Amino acid sequence: MKYRIKNRQLEKTIFALFDRRAVMKSIAEQMPDDSTLVSLSYETGCPVGTQLHSGLPSTVAFDIGVTIPKSEIEEEPEE
């Protein structure tokens, strides 16, 4: 299932930081739970988290966290 973030600027920023497939996987895993939020995070050296966008430099350490209300995420229709 594919999702989109209603705020296009926020979506663009998230996909500039994180790998698109990893974001979609993380959202799909979190949408069914009881929380009202979806969390995306990455910390250099930590094996758990959302994979970064491949265009970001690997020589820089990152500690990134984004929390999005589920009400700001919607399913994309199947094509």
Side-chain angles (χ1 to χ4, degrees):
M1 183 154 318
K2 290 181 106 179
Y3 294 92
R4 74 173 202 85
I5 298 165
K6 293 177 184 177
N7 180 318
R8 294 297 190 187
Q9 188 60 41
L10 177 58
E11 183 177 65
K12 185 177 177 180
T13 301
I14 287 171
F15 291 141
L17 295 170
F18 297 104
D19 176 76
R20 181 179 291 269
R21 282 184 295 198
V23 168
M24 289 297 132
K25 181 179 181 232
S26 188
I27 290 173
E29 290 171 352
Q30 295 180 59
M31 285 302 279
D33 69 26
D34 293 335
S35 172
T36 60
L37 303 170
V38 168
S39 295
L40 306 170
S41 63
Y42 178 87
E43 183 178 345
T44 299
C46 182
V48 178
T50 307
Q51 181 180 349
L52 287 180
H53 186 279
S54 62
L56 293 175
S58 60
T59 56
V60 178
F62 289 94
D63 186 0
I64 303 169
V66 179
T67 304
I68 309 160
K70 287 182 179 178
S71 61
E72 292 300 314
I73 300 171
E74 60 188 10
E75 290 182 31
E76 286 190 338
E78 297 289 329
E79 293 179 6

